Amino acid sequence: MTAGAGSRPAQPAPGAERGRLEGSRVLPGLRVLRHYQRRWLRGDLLAGVTVAAYLVPQVMAYAGVAGLPAVTGLWAIVGPLLLYAVLGSSRQLSVGPESTTALMTATAIATLAPDAGPGQRATLAAVLALTVALICFVGWATGLGFLSEFFSTPVLLGYMSGIAALMILSQLGKVSRIATDGRSTYLEVRSLLQNAGQLHWQTAVLALAVLAALLLLDRFLPRWPGPLLAMVASAGIVAGWDLTAVGIRVVGAVPAGLPPFGPPDLSGIPWREMVPVAVGVALVGYTDNVLTGRSFAVRQGAEIDSDQEFLALGAANIAAGLSGGFPVSSSGSRTALGAAMGGRTQVASLVSLACVLATLFFLGPVIASFPSAALGAVVIFAALKLIDLREWRRVSRFRRSELVLAVLTTAGVLAFDVLIGIAIAVGLSIIDLLRRLTAPAEAVLGRVPGTPGMYDTADTPAAQPVPGLVVYRYDAPLFFANSVDFRRRALQAALSAETPTRWFLLNAEANGEVDLTAGDEMEQLRRMLDEHGIRFAIARLNEEALAQLERAGIIDAVGRDYVFPTLPTAISAFEEWAAGHPADEPADAESHDAESHNAESHADEPDGGSAAGQPGRRRRRRRHRAGDVSGPDVTSS
């Protein structure tokens, strides 16, 4: 029966709706395509063609970085472009061969099989891609997306700068024809210097000319496909002047058609050494995906699903491995180029895929004439783009420790291999986190006349502490590593106040977590303050921290009447108490527990007539003056 004009549209069955939701979660690219807007098409088409013009020579050059034939780069991009467009949570990320994973592949192959021939290198690279895919699938299944948060901005900056330097070093032999030893940075530099007499000046001149052209095009015509123009021009010059006769090397024959599809030979694979290497490649590739995707998603008001990225990256590497390629990740330069050309969705990647397939079927002879030195210049150009001088200046202005962290990360990547550099980057991030948590900022708060709220007296000269009250804030969760620091600094703040401290109020708004060790130190602080006649109080505890301190018995020791929901209620309670207890009276809180016991034991004795009665009154008065009495009810403050 056809619905009438005024009838309600048919509602999908609950099962169908649930199926669509699950499909959108696992295949987010389809959700974007289902809601595709026609006005996006022009930008996506232009971005796809431009990125393809850039990536064809780039991925061929990255294959050279990995120590593989140039055509391997084209094979390694066909499947990943298609699968990420369907599975990826980023609308703009360009996935495929990129500099970092290519360099890590070369390092891994050199470590696993130093004397491997071309065929064995290709097999090891494909198996490495499949192993990376398996690790990514494990990460997706176990919800390890939180790993994307382990890299801080300074560490990533230093790491990428180190990778850029390694990329440049890896191409110096190609653009100079000097034999180099690539087993380490030190050996590579030493071999370059020792064999400098082998310089092939025609090759070096061609590479410098291509690099200069790329830099000029990037500076004055940034939207032009500079790498493709430079490669085509250099190929024309080499062919027109027959420069191969003077030793200029070209890519050579490129197999036409689709890449060979199927699993590589798994016999003789050193799995014990392969798996740790694959873990490092997966970690770096995944981090690149999430961070690059996140930076572009923010501009569109979109979100990146960090767990979904594990699935998408795993699928992309499965495709690369079964196509005879090598591990893939995302390319920041290609993503940025596509965004600059107006690309908004993964349709741009599908357009790039069509261009790559056209290259494999029809443009092989053109690619065969590309000079190897020009491809090396393309890699060096891409490496220079990774060194973000503006970001280095920003980090140096922000905090010296952040700059030191970035410099040490760069040095770690250069001094050791890439995998150790990753470990150094993660380790430095954790050390920097612990350093800030174990010695965080602190503040003594005061009021500014005529202005609501409380302010750090060190940062706001007009802020004045409440006389007799120290409002203290420790800006970190309290746990075993900073608990002693907290106690020492809090006690110092209480004892160094300009006016004698009668109450110490901990503003716990930044102490969202409190472990047992920190709770014990808090109780030790309360006792030490009590010895100085200072009442300990707490304000702004969240529910979780309150429950933790209750289980540790700290709340009962402090007294529930001295745990306040807000700073104003706590300050009002102090001022009400202080109004009845003049500051010129001595604040003697010696032997608080004993005095309480004595006061209660003499409560029924007459005020006079016996020697025991008088001390009882005196002890009660001292306890009262020190603030050791029942305070106002929290609920009524």
Side-chain angles (χ1 to χ4, degrees):
M1 179 176 178
T2 305
S7 65
R8 179 178 299 175
Q11 298 296 318
E17 181 65 21
R18 185 164 53 251
R20 276 205 296 270
L21 289 173
E22 292 297 327
S24 295
R25 187 176 297 114
V26 179
L27 305 172
L30 295 183
R31 181 177 66 245
V32 175
L33 293 177
R34 200 162 50 237
H35 298 90
Y36 194 81
Q37 299 181 27
R38 183 176 296 180
R39 60 188 177 89
W40 296 343
L41 184 59
R42 181 180 180 278
D44 282 340
L45 288 173
L46 182 59
V49 172
T50 305
V51 169
Y54 180 80
L55 72 82
V56 167
Q58 187 188 54
V59 299
M60 293 174 64
Y62 287 158
V65 172
L68 302 169
V71 71
T72 309
L74 294 176
W75 291 351
I77 201 169
V78 174
L81 278 176
L82 176 62
L83 289 177
Y84 188 85
V86 177
L87 293 170
S89 64
S90 169
R91 297 184 180 185
Q92 294 176 294
L93 205 60
S94 177
V95 171
E98 58 88 32
S99 57
T100 307
T101 50
L103 188 59
M104 293 181 72
T105 300
T107 304
I109 293 174
T111 302
L112 296 171
D115 302 320
Q120 188 181 2
R121 285 201 302 270
T123 298
L124 286 172
V127 172
L128 180 60
L130 295 177
T131 310
V132 167
L134 179 61
I135 293 168
C136 289
F137 290 148
V138 171
W140 170 68
T142 55
L144 293 180
F146 70 91
L147 291 176
S148 64
E149 310 299 333
F150 270 74
F151 288 92
S152 64
T153 295
V155 166
L156 282 172
L157 176 65
Y159 176 75
M160 294 308 297
S161 297
I163 289 296
L166 289 179
M167 286 176 60
I168 293 171
L169 279 174
S170 72
Q171 297 302 299
L172 291 182
K174 181 178 293 186
V175 300
S176 65
R177 296 274 300 276
I178 296 175
T180 62
D181 186 342
R183 288 178 294 173
S184 71
T185 302
Y186 168 74
L187 292 176
E188 189 142 20
V189 172
R190 189 179 73 172
S191 59
L192 279 169
L193 296 176
Q194 289 178 342
N195 301 327
Q198 301 176 2
L199 175 69
H200 189 263
W201 68 266
Q202 294 95 334
T203 298
V205 168
L206 177 62
L208 286 173
V210 171
L211 180 60
L214 289 170
L215 292 172
L216 289 172
L217 286 170
D218 182 63
R219 174 68 177 84
F220 296 105
L221 299 169
R223 296 199 173 191
W224 285 34
L228 181 64
L229 294 176
M231 293 301 300
V232 170
S234 63
I237 292 172
V238 170
W241 291 356
D242 193 21
L243 295 182
T244 55
V246 297
I248 298 292
R249 295 174 178 173
V250 295
V251 170
V254 177
L258 292 174
F261 191 82
D265 183 8
L266 300 180
S267 60
I269 299 297
W271 293 108
R272 182 175 297 179
E273 293 81 12
M274 174 71 75
V275 172
V277 171
V279 169
V281 176
L283 176 62
V284 172
Y286 171 73
T287 304
D288 280 348
N289 261 39
V290 171
L291 293 179
T292 304
R294 190 174 292 164
S295 66
F296 284 91
V298 168
R299 306 175 191 181
Q300 288 189 331
E303 291 285 343
I304 295 296
D305 185 336
S306 56
D307 286 322
Q308 180 69 18
E309 287 303 299
F310 265 128
L311 177 63
L313 184 61
N317 276 281
I318 282 282
L322 295 178
S323 303
F326 53 95
V328 298
S329 179
S330 64
S331 169
S333 58
R334 297 198 300 266
T335 303
L337 179 60
M341 300 305 296
R344 295 181 61 86
T345 72
Q346 286 295 332
V347 168
S349 290
L350 297 178
V351 173
S352 295
L353 172 60
C355 294
V356 171
L357 292 175
T359 300
L360 285 171
F361 279 106
F362 310 117
L363 302 179
V366 176
I367 296 174
S369 65
F370 283 177
S372 297
L375 284 173
V378 170
V379 174
I380 292 174
F381 170 72
L384 293 175
K385 298 279 285 182
L386 291 178
I387 302 175
D388 193 340
L389 296 178
R390 181 179 299 175
E391 188 69 2
W392 274 101
R393 287 192 294 268
R394 188 173 77 93
V395 169
S396 66
R397 288 194 301 265
F398 181 75
R399 185 184 292 145
R400 180 177 298 177
S401 63
E402 305 267 11
L403 177 62
V404 170
L405 191 61
V407 171
L408 288 177
T409 304
T410 301
V413 171
L414 291 175
F416 308 101
D417 64 29
V418 175
L419 295 179
I420 295 178
I422 295 170
I424 290 175
V426 174
L428 288 174
S429 295
I430 294 173
I431 289 172
D432 185 53
L433 171 64
L434 290 176
R435 179 188 63 81
R436 281 187 264 174
L437 287 176
T438 54
E442 64 174 350
V444 173
L445 305 179
R447 295 187 291 199
V448 176
T451 305
M454 300 199 76
Y455 302 85
D456 186 347
T457 55
D459 294 338
T460 309
Q464 297 298 319
V466 178
L469 175 66
V470 170
V471 182
Y472 181 78
R473 190 184 68 213
Y474 191 79
D475 293 336
L478 293 174
F479 66 117
F480 64 93
N482 64 15
S483 58
V484 173
D485 178 73
F486 160 72
R487 173 175 55 79
R488 289 173 177 169
R489 292 165 72 182
L491 183 63
Q492 176 65 23
L495 300 182
S496 61
E498 294 182 1
T499 59
T501 302
R502 310 183 76 194
W503 275 30
F504 176 90
L505 176 62
L506 174 63
N507 176 10
E509 61 181 313
N511 312 134
E513 287 280 340
V514 183
D515 70 5
L516 184 60
T517 305
D520 291 341
E521 291 295 333
M522 188 180 293
E523 170 59 12
Q524 178 68 8
L525 172 64
R526 185 197 68 78
R527 292 176 181 173
M528 296 174 74
L529 291 171
D530 191 64
E531 291 175 359
H532 289 84
I534 301 172
R535 159 55 59 184
F536 180 85
I538 309 176
R540 300 195 68 178
L541 270 174
N542 64 31
E543 292 297 325
E544 184 173 355
L546 177 62
Q548 291 164 343
L549 291 178
E550 283 180 334
R551 289 192 294 268
I554 309 302
I555 296 300
D556 289 335
V558 171
R560 294 183 181 273
D561 291 336
Y562 293 96
V563 179
F564 301 93
T566 65
L567 287 182
T569 56
I571 295 172
S572 296
F574 167 74
E575 291 176 333
E576 180 181 346
W577 173 87
H581 302 80
D584 57 352
E585 293 185 4
D588 181 7
E590 292 182 15
S591 306
H592 159 62
D593 293 334
E595 289 169 6
S596 271
H597 173 74
N598 288 337
E600 291 169 2
S601 66
H602 293 291
D604 294 330
E605 296 180 7
D607 287 345
S610 74
Q614 187 65 25
R617 286 202 315 273
R618 186 164 54 250
R619 285 176 179 146
R620 283 198 300 273
R621 186 165 57 247
R622 286 177 178 172
R623 187 162 54 91
H624 193 67
R625 288 170 183 165
D628 195 10
V629 294
S630 297
D633 187 0
V634 169
T635 58
S636 62
S637 297

